[in-house]
């Protein structure tokens, strides 16, 4: 099986961090977010694109070497 490498840009109150991730065929947005410790967050390809649904197959939708963008789940009304 061939893996794909991607950089995931994580924006947050602490600043911006980039994590390198390798994914296997069939990897979902949920899988990628879990690997970087952002369970329940959102993942997108940036720009004006809508976030991936948690079950979207990121491996099929993203090219090797792509940059993705992740954000933490917003907490409202705490």
């Amino acid at each position: 099986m061939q893996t794909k490498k991607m950089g995931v840009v994580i924006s947050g109150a602490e600043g911006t961090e980039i994590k390198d991730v390798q994914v296997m065929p069939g990897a979902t947005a949920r899988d990628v977010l879990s690997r970087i410790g952002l369970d329940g967050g959102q993942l997108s390809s940036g720009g004006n694109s809508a976030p991936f649904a948690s079950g979207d197959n990121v491996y099929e939708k993203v090219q090797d070497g792509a940059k993705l963008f992740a954000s933490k789940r917003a907490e409202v009304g705490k």
Side-chain angles (χ1 to χ4, degrees), residues 4-74:
K4 287 185 180 179
K5 296 178 184 178
M6 54 193 71
V8 181
V9 179
I10 305 167
S11 296
E14 303 84 32
T16 301
E17 178 182 3
I18 300 174
K19 293 199 176 189
D20 293 323
V21 177
Q22 289 188 24
V23 296
M24 301 290 286
T28 64
R30 182 183 314 109
D31 297 333
V32 173
L33 290 166
S34 179
R35 297 232 5 234
I36 62 171
L38 282 181
D39 292 311
Q42 289 191 319
L43 187 68
S44 74
S45 58
N48 292 327
S49 66
F52 294 107
S54 63
D56 281 352
N57 186 333
V58 174
Y59 184 90
E60 287 181 355
K61 294 183 176 197
V62 176
Q63 297 295 316
D64 187 41
K67 185 186 300 185
L68 299 176
F69 298 86
S71 58
K72 298 177 182 178
R73 178 178 17 194

